[in-house]
Amino acid sequence: MSDHLPDWIGSEGNPPNFGDPTAVLEPEPYEVVSRSDDEMVLSMGPQHPSTHGVLQVVLGIDGETVKRAEPEIGYLHTGIEKSAENLFWNQSLTVIDRMDYLAPLTNNFAFCRGVEKLLGITGQVPRRAQQIRVMMAEMTRITSHCIWLGTHAIDLGAISPFFFTVDLRENILDLIEAASGARMNMTYFRVGGINGDLPEGFLERLDEVIAKFPRRMRDLRDLLQKNPIWTDREVGVGVISAEDAVAWGLTGPSLRASGVAYDLRKIEPYSTYEEYEFDVPTRTEGDCYARFLVRLDEMEESMRIIEQVRKNLEPGPIMVNEPAVALPPKPSIGLSMESLIHHFKLVSEGFRVPAGDVYGAVEGPRGEIGYYIVSNGENRPWRVRTRPPSFYNLQALRKIAAGNLIADVVVMIGSLDPVFGEVDR
Amino acid sequence: MQPRSTKTTSTVVDPTAVRPPIDDVDEIIRTTPAEMRDVLTRLKAQGFSQLTDVGGADYLRRSPRFDVVYHLTALPTRVASIAEVGKPKRVRVLCGVDEGVSVPTVYDLWPSANWAEREVFDLFGIAFSGHPDLRRIEMPDDWEGHPLRKDYPVRGPARDRTPRPPFPGKENVGSRIPPTREAAERLRREINERLHHDDHQTSEEKS
């Protein structure tokens, strides 16, 4: 008798009691698996490694084919909009960072632009601040796409791209950290400008990253773009036509992969975007492979913009010259009583924003991120409504998934690039 | 918890009536729930092909109390280059709603309204008539109240604050509530007595 078997095997006694085998188990309140006539309902998530967060997708499947997919969201709802209504205008930037935690600076960007419109200081934001904002937003776009590409590749079974992308992201995050002081949730932008100027030696380190970038992108393209396993999984999967993409509210790379060249940086240029030469990558296929290619091209276009900003970066102030909004310069606080009082009032009470409502949007990595901001003339926003691109992009999964294979649901979720901090807010 | 400084100068009850000198949308339309459906159908026929966002806002002391805010964008519904997209027109539709009044759904016009309307229903309690699947989307299904309403407390609803049952053998320590002065005195006296008693015993044993 071998010793690693349980004692009761081969012994005279009865096996241990595992419960009444004839008892009927009560079904769980939420049915995990159920059958109707010719449709099997399968619940995927919310604890699933390939859903990029806490997403549950209730799939109606017939054999291997998905007949309907119903994403269930709300597992990460944290009430950020409610929190923002109870903070000062500049303080609410800190919670707004936490929506799209992979691209916090574009959230800041959109919110700041909305508040600046309400204050009527859009044109007064200094040129250097605008340029640094553009540079940081494009860096954020690359870092966000890096995470998207790495995790998307892991979903499809390719581990190595993750190391390449995270290495690139690390280099860029080091730069962002040097400028803003944080790697995530930077809150680098302020209403009226940015928090602090670029540190010494920043541009030299940026040059190193710019020099390294083409090689990294070539590696990534070599690894994936013509890889037959990759193309087999991506080409022709999750197709959405241009008409449907517009109707379902898709924006950003997902819309451009369907052929509609809608990019706020080009069609409504803001913050000196009109000065830079860059293309808007567009494909017409509308499948996962098109979305993949559009994002890859976008990373290269972002780097083109960063290079041009770096070349044209002008010295100058980084905060609007508007004492009602901007803190006084730090050295003046020790010298002048008025500056000290002014500083204290701005920090302890914040500034007031004229009453009115406004919609400010920028092109984020996932699409049009906009803020509908209502002010009633106080030092806190009355209402901050986010237009979350991930929310609408993910909703389109209901349209895209039908008719595809069950194994491709993961590919389609990855290609829509949802971030659940933003979907649930 | 004391409220933070709430000194206000001029609080506007209806901020949407005050228009700052900005040009974020081409047109702002204000409607009522009865006419809203006609307005949006007409706008869709005019080429506003994307429902960019549906949101809500609560103006507590205003009548009507809520606004449902629609943002529409006129995008081409076919493969189009940047020149063809041009600078798309944007329009904002504000639909004033009172408590208990439902708004017709626009799910059949733009499918993207599905989740957005569910979210407004969930967080503001505005019902959308004709919506195929009007359930809570962010909050748990059995949640009570609508968190983004202005009369909903920031830290959540007031919970029943019945004290936790005391730990066995520690009846004198009330849960969460600090002991009263008498209880603290009694406790201190008991502890002292026990200590002195122990001291006494040990000194006796030693001797």
Coordinates of all heavy atoms in Angstrom, one line a residue, chain A residues 164 213-225:
Chain A
F164 N 9.0 44.5 -23.8 CA 9.4 45.6 -24.7 C 8.6 46.9 -24.4 O 9.2 48.0 -24.2 CB 9.3 45.3 -26.2 CG 10.3 44.3 -26.7 CD1 10.2 43.0 -26.3 CD2 11.3 44.7 -27.5 CE1 11.1 42.1 -26.8 CE2 12.3 43.8 -27.9 CZ 12.2 42.5 -27.6
F213 N 13.5 55.2 -29.4 CA 12.1 54.9 -29.7 C 11.9 54.1 -31.0 O 11.3 53.1 -31.1 CB 11.2 56.1 -29.7 CG 9.8 55.9 -29.9 CD1 9.0 55.4 -28.9 CD2 9.2 56.2 -31.2 CE1 7.6 55.2 -29.2 CE2 7.9 56.0 -31.4 CZ 7.1 55.5 -30.4
P214 N 12.5 54.6 -32.2 CA 12.3 53.9 -33.4 C 12.7 52.4 -33.4 O 12.0 51.6 -33.9 CB 13.1 54.7 -34.4 CG 13.4 56.0 -33.8 CD 13.4 55.8 -32.4
R215 N 13.8 52.2 -32.7 CA 14.3 50.8 -32.6 C 13.3 49.9 -31.9 O 12.9 48.8 -32.3 CB 15.6 50.8 -31.9 CG 16.2 49.5 -31.6 CD 16.7 48.8 -32.9 NE 16.8 47.4 -32.8 CZ 17.8 46.7 -32.3 NH1 18.9 47.4 -31.9 NH2 17.8 45.4 -32.1
R216 N 12.7 50.5 -30.8 CA 11.7 49.7 -30.0 C 10.5 49.4 -30.8 O 9.9 48.3 -30.8 CB 11.3 50.6 -28.8 CG 12.2 50.3 -27.6 CD 11.7 49.0 -26.9 NE 12.6 48.6 -25.8 CZ 13.6 47.8 -25.9 NH1 13.9 47.2 -27.0 NH2 14.3 47.5 -24.8
M217 N 10.0 50.5 -31.6 CA 8.8 50.3 -32.4 C 9.1 49.2 -33.5 O 8.2 48.4 -33.8 CB 8.4 51.6 -33.0 CG 7.8 52.6 -32.1 SD 6.4 51.9 -31.1 CE 5.2 51.7 -32.3
R218 N 10.3 49.3 -34.0 CA 10.6 48.3 -35.1 C 10.6 46.9 -34.5 O 10.1 45.9 -35.1 CB 12.0 48.6 -35.7 CG 12.1 48.1 -37.1 CD 13.3 48.7 -37.8 NE 14.6 48.4 -37.2 CZ 15.4 49.4 -36.8 NH1 15.1 50.6 -36.9 NH2 16.5 49.1 -36.2
D219 N 11.1 46.7 -33.3 CA 11.1 45.4 -32.6 C 9.6 45.0 -32.4 O 9.3 43.8 -32.7 CB 11.7 45.5 -31.2 CG 13.2 45.7 -31.3 OD1 13.8 45.4 -32.4 OD2 13.9 46.1 -30.3
L220 N 8.8 45.9 -32.0 CA 7.4 45.5 -31.7 C 6.7 45.1 -33.0 O 6.0 44.1 -33.0 CB 6.7 46.7 -31.0 CG 7.0 46.9 -29.6 CD1 6.4 48.2 -29.1 CD2 6.4 45.7 -28.7
R221 N 7.0 45.9 -34.0 CA 6.3 45.5 -35.3 C 6.9 44.2 -35.8 O 6.1 43.4 -36.3 CB 6.6 46.6 -36.3 CG 5.8 47.8 -36.2 CD 6.0 48.8 -37.3 NE 5.4 50.1 -37.0 CZ 4.1 50.4 -37.3 NH1 3.3 49.5 -37.7 NH2 3.6 51.6 -37.0
D222 N 8.2 44.0 -35.7 CA 8.7 42.7 -36.1 C 8.1 41.5 -35.3 O 7.8 40.4 -35.9 CB 10.2 42.7 -35.9 CG 11.0 43.5 -36.9 OD1 10.3 43.9 -37.9 OD2 12.2 43.8 -36.7
L223 N 7.9 41.8 -34.0 CA 7.3 40.7 -33.2 C 5.9 40.3 -33.6 O 5.5 39.2 -33.6 CB 7.3 41.1 -31.8 CG 8.6 40.8 -30.9 CD1 8.5 41.4 -29.6 CD2 8.7 39.3 -30.7
L224 N 5.1 41.4 -33.9 CA 3.7 41.1 -34.0 C 3.1 41.3 -35.4 O 2.2 40.5 -35.8 CB 2.9 42.1 -33.0 CG 3.3 41.9 -31.5 CD1 2.6 42.9 -30.7 CD2 2.8 40.5 -31.1
Q225 N 3.5 42.4 -36.1 CA 2.7 42.8 -37.2 C 2.5 41.8 -38.3 O 1.4 41.6 -38.8 CB 3.3 44.1 -37.8 CG 2.3 44.8 -38.7 CD 2.8 46.2 -39.0 OE1 3.6 46.8 -38.3 NE2 2.3 46.7 -40.2

